[in-house]
Structures are given as C-alpha cells and as structure tokens.
Amino acid sequence: MAAEPALDLTPETGLRHLWRALADIADGCRMWRLGCTLGWLDIKLRYRGSILGPLWLTVSTAVMVAAIGSVYGALFHMELHHYLPFLSISLVLWGYVSGIAGDGCQVFTRAAGLIQAARIPFTVHAIRSVVRNALVLAHNLAVIIVVFAVFRLMPAHLLAEIPVLALWAIDSLALSLALGVLGTRFRDIPPIIGSLLQIAFFVTPIMWEPGLIFAGRQYMLLNPFYPLFEILRGPLMGEVPRLSIWIAAGGYSVVLWVVTLLLFSRLRSRLAYWV
C-alpha cells in the first residue's frame, strides 16, 4: 500500500479526491484479511463469558419466527408450510440489513483509537463491520435450515444465489462506507437511521408477502429493499424474479455506489479529525 504524504500542499481537485478514495477502497480490499480478523475478534469479545454466545441471536430469531408466523399466518390466512420459510428468510435477511445500517453509522467512531494510532485504509473498518454482521448472519442461517427441514423443503436455484450474495456483499461495503462518513460528521445520524429502518420494516415485504398487494403493485419497486430482498429470497422459495426486479436491484446498487463515492471522496480526508 502506497502511503500518503504527511503533508501535501498540492491543490485538491474533485478527481484527486476521487482517486484517493478509490485507492483507499482498493488498499482496504487488499487488506481484507485484517478486516476479517478484526470482525472475528469483535464477535469473540462481544460474547466473551456468554454461555451460548452469538447463538442467543439465533434463539431470539427462532422465537420471533415462531411467534410472528403463528399470528400473521392466521391473520393473512396463509399456509404455514409456505409462509414460515418465507418469514424465516425475510427476518434473517432483515436482521443482517439492520445490523449493517446500525453498525455502519458508527463504523469509524468506534474505531477512533485505531484510526488515530495507525495509518490503515478506512475501508478496512467497513470490511470489519461487514464481516462482523456476516458472522451473525451465518449463525441465524440455522433458523432457515431448521424451518426448511421441518416442512421437508429443499431450497431451489442455489447456484443463482452466488452472484446475488456477491452483490449483497458489495452493497454492504458501500452502505457501511456511506453511513460511516455521515455518522462521523453528524452524530445524530444513528437515531435517524434507526427510525427510517422501523418504517422500512413495515412497508417492505418482510412479514407479509408481495402477492398480497394487488392495486399499485408496480410501485413496490420504488422501495429499494424490495428488489434486493426478492432476488435473494425468490430463488430460495423456488420463484424466478422478474427481469424488472433484477434491473431495479442493479440500478439501486449503482446509485448506492455513486452516492458512496461522492461522500467518501469528498469527506474522507477529514474523518481522522472528526472521530
């Protein structure tokens, strides 16, 4: 990794900011092992002394799936052998998204000591957050496996999930960087994001299926969470997402990365002073 000069009096331009931001992302990706190690240590330290460790999250997710599934399945007159697998996938994925968003707001402020002590690409801290939440997601996958086993279902189109998982990983990194920059500059961003996530939870097909919406169903694509969830959840449920859903998911990912690069390139040089 090429270290930046301690004092650079060269006038900064937009392209220069962008080039340094891209270099930071590239250097951070090359140091992915460090990010993975830090994320793994975060999980170990968070649950040190706990009997079940991260499995407490798995237990709580399983209880939530059972409780919500029984109540909403009766309210919506849904067949449990179809609704519970849908609900388990949705809640596990939503837990990952809310974790990425919540941690992303403090991804740099929590690493203030390390940022001020060593010159490490800021992207490493975003990778650390993604790995930490991915490990929690891996534990919660047990809930989905158990639900599918109980109803003797076999996830379909598993090979189609590989590019989708790659897209989710890339978007998770972008979201962590963008929210990290905003959360470092404006310390009231975390509660704002928390409130927005609560609203998004109810307007996104998480507890209810998209098929329940008839009038105005085309407007569901305006919700960025819907296509991103559907391209991952649909194949597991044996459904092939429509082309419009794939296009919307790709479009939202491009927009997310454009916004992230604009924020990160413009404000990256000030992060060490704000943390």
Side-chain angles (χ1 to χ4, degrees), residues 49-84:
S50 174
I51 298 177
L52 294 180
L55 290 179
W56 281 115
L57 297 175
T58 306
V59 173
S60 63
T61 303
V63 172
M64 185 177 298
V65 169
I68 295 179
S70 58
V71 173
Y72 280 82
L75 289 176
F76 296 146
H77 305 287
M78 302 291 295
E79 297 180 357
L80 289 184
H81 76 276
H82 177 78
Y83 180 61
L84 278 184

Side-chain angles (χ1 to χ4, degrees), residues 175-195:
L175 187 62
S176 296
L177 287 174
L179 291 180
V181 171
L182 292 175
T184 305
R185 178 61 181 89
F186 305 102
R187 299 306 171 93
D188 48 357
I189 289 295
I192 294 176
I193 294 298
S195 299

Side-chain angles (χ1 to χ4, degrees), residues 127-273:
I127 295 176
R128 174 183 184 178
S129 176
V130 173
V131 170
R132 182 168 59 242
N133 286 279
L135 291 174
V136 175
L137 173 65
H139 284 88
N140 289 336
L141 288 179
V143 177
I144 301 176
I145 295 174
V146 170
V147 170
F148 272 73
V150 168
F151 292 100
R152 298 180 180 179
L153 299 176
M154 180 63 67
H157 309 296
L158 288 178
L159 292 179
E161 302 290 2
I162 297 177
V164 178
L165 291 175
L167 180 65
W168 270 62
I170 294 172
D171 287 350
S172 298
L173 179 61
L175 187 62
S176 296
L177 287 174
L179 291 180
V181 171
L182 292 175
T184 305
R185 178 61 181 89
F186 305 102
R187 299 306 171 93
D188 48 357
I189 289 295
I192 294 176
I193 294 298
S195 299
L196 293 177
L197 285 176
Q198 288 182 352
I199 298 173
F201 178 77
F202 291 104
V203 301
T204 304
I206 303 295
M207 296 188 298
W208 49 275
E209 295 188 359
L212 296 176
I213 300 296
F214 297 100
R217 187 175 181 180
Q218 65 274 17
Y219 298 112
M220 292 176 61
L221 289 177
L222 298 178
N223 180 353
F225 292 106
Y226 169 63
L228 290 173
F229 268 67
E230 198 62 21
I231 61 175
L232 185 56
R233 180 177 55 197
L236 291 177
M237 298 294 297
E239 302 172 359
V240 179
R242 304 188 309 273
L243 179 61
S244 59
I245 294 178
W246 286 99
I247 294 176
Y252 283 125
S253 299
V254 171
V255 171
L256 174 61
W257 267 103
V258 170
V259 173
T260 297
L261 289 176
L262 290 176
L263 288 173
F264 192 51
S265 62
R266 185 64 179 173
L267 304 177
R268 172 186 163 277
S269 60
R270 308 174 192 177
L271 290 176
Y273 301 97

Side-chain angles (χ1 to χ4, degrees), residues 68-136:
I68 295 179
S70 58
V71 173
Y72 280 82
L75 289 176
F76 296 146
H77 305 287
M78 302 291 295
E79 297 180 357
L80 289 184
H81 76 276
H82 177 78
Y83 180 61
L84 278 184
F86 169 87
L87 182 65
S88 62
I89 296 173
S90 301
L91 288 180
V92 168
L93 293 180
W94 183 260
Y96 172 77
V97 171
S98 60
I100 286 289
D103 286 356
C105 296
Q106 306 176 51
V107 68
F108 298 132
T109 54
R110 286 181 177 177
L114 187 56
I115 291 175
Q116 296 172 351
R119 178 167 291 182
I120 299 176
F122 290 102
T123 306
V124 170
H125 305 294
I127 295 176
R128 174 183 184 178
S129 176
V130 173
V131 170
R132 182 168 59 242
N133 286 279
L135 291 174
V136 175

